[in-house]
């Protein structure tokens, strides 16, 4: 077979990024050469997100951009996969005839054959069961060498009223623990220092496979792997934050004291309409329990404003909750009505500008809280993973346990001794700059 070149555009969440990395490995096994530059690639794959309107538009824009390159003769074939393809199936290729092949997530294992058919000029569409999506396999990492995502489960069974993920990705299904540990060991052997543990709901890990919540045990197993320094949890559903998990976070030095806790709202009535549990009082009690059990913990959350029927009073409850909870990190998104979800059919849809305005109010509140918390860090020293050097400012950048890559802040710092990417160093904070911290290294680098 000719050594074809392939470019991958991976959109959306880290879970989709892992899927892209597995597909790239399968392509490499078949002799394809990976290129970062779509100009001149034989085939370009756009691995799409289809979660909300903004993500769908980003996917369509990328597809059309690659279609234009194909029209101009820079690329030979265009393949679309991922959530948008899974959700809309044949509509994708019908509405964008420039696409040569479209494949649902269950067809990812066949990506090499699909690319070859597309290069032969065959219009092709394949939509196997979403449960055929491989949960494991070799990967070509697209993250920096010092950290990587590891997906411990696929799909979701929570069925929140606003979310299309269960219909796109299927029911929740955990990976075998031995398989996860083996992959983690291989990643560590390749130089990965920080493992970022992901699933649609990481805290549910094991319930389907072993009949009980197994995330604490998985963390204990992963922490025994030589070379792994940090284990970071994303997407922790509030209903499954157990004392055992919090104890593990407190007592296990390798588990970052960082909880990503997507709450979505705080008003009890809105949460019920979302098909979620809890109330402002109960969620505040949960946050207090987390902070009491895990001193120094950083809590990140996300909220949705403008959910159908959200009254001013219900929004005010959310505002008061944000003030009282004092989250360390917070994101807020305007509600997006997704076809096929219960929420899209609900009465009393909120107008777009009100959704946006309410989100802006929450983010302004949070910025005041965040700025104060940043100022309080001045004078403290933190263990930092070195991620790069900027010769223009003569400073390094990195992250502490408080910040996940790609979504949180960075620490910029000077060092009298040269440092390498992937090393750890203690940094004393001396100032703040918008969302980031400024510091100076205290001593030299160390491995752990």
């Amino acid at each position: 077979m000719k050594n074809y070149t392939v470019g991958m555009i991976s959109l959306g969440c880290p879970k989709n990024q892992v899927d892209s990395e597995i597909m790239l490995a399968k392509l490499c096994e078949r002799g394809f050469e990976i290129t970062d530059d779509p100009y001149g690639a034989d085939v370009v794959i756009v691995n799409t997100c289809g979660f909300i309107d903004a993500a769908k538009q980003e996917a369509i824009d990328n597809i059309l951009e690659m279609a234009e390159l194909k029209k101009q003769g820079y690329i030979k074939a265009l393949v679309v996969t991922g959530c948008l393809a899974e959700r809309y199936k044949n509509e994708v290729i019908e509405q964008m005839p420039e696409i040569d092949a479209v494949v649902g997530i269950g067809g990812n294992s066949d990506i090499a054959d699909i690319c070859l058919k597309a290069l032969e000029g065959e219009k092709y569409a394949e939509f196997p069961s979403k449960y055929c999506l491989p949960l494991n396999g070799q990967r070509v990492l697209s993250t920096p060498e010092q950290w990587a995502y590891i997906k411990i489960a696929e799909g979701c069974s929570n069925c929140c009223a606003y979310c299309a993920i269960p219909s796109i990705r299927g029911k929740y299904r955990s990976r075998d623990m031995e398989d996860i540990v083996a992959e983690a060991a291989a990643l560590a052997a390749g130089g990965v220092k920080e493992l970022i543990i992901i699933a649609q709901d990481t805290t549910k890990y094991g319930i389907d496979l072993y009949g009980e919540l197994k995330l604490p045990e998985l963390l204990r197993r992963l922490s025994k792997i030589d070379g792994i320094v940090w284990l970071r949890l994303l997407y922790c559903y509030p209903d499954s934050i157990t004392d055992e998990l919090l104890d593990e976070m407190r007592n296990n030095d390798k588990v970052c004291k960082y909880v990503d806790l997507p709450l979505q709202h705080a008003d009890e009535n809105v949460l019920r309409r979302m098909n979620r549990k809890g109330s402002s009082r109960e969620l505040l009690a949960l946050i207090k329990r987390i902070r009491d059990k895990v001193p120094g913990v950083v809590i990140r959350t996300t909220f949705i404003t403008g959910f159908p029927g959200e009254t001013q009073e219900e929004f005010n409850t959310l505002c008061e909750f944000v003030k009282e909870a004092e989250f360390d990190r917070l994101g807020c998104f305007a509600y997006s009505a997704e076809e096929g979800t219960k929420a899209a059919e609900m009465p009393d849809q909120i107008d777009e500008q009100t959704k946006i305005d309410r989100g802006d109010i929450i983010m302004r509140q949070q910025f005041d809280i965040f700025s104060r918390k940043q100022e309080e860090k001045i004078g403290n020293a933190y263990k930092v993973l070195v991620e790069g050097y900027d010769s223009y400012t003569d400073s390094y950048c990195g992250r502490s346990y408080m910040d996940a890559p790609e979504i949180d802040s960075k620490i910029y710092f000077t060092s009298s001794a040269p440092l390498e990417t992937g090393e750890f160093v203690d940094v004393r904070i001396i100032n703040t700059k918008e969302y980031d911290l400024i510091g100076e290294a205290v001593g030299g680098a160390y491995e752990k």
Side-chain angles (χ1 to χ4, degrees), residues 42 60 205 216 242-243 291 432 436:
D42 290 303
I60 290 168
Y205 173 73
T242 63
D243 284 344
R291 286 174 170 155
T432 67
D436 300 315

Side-chain angles (χ1 to χ4, degrees), residues 394-411:
D394 191 27
S395 64
Y396 294 89
C397 69
R399 293 177 292 107
S400 72
Y401 80 93
M402 299 179 290
D403 297 296
E406 301 184 328
I407 55 175
D408 290 326
S409 306
K410 288 185 177 291
I411 298 175

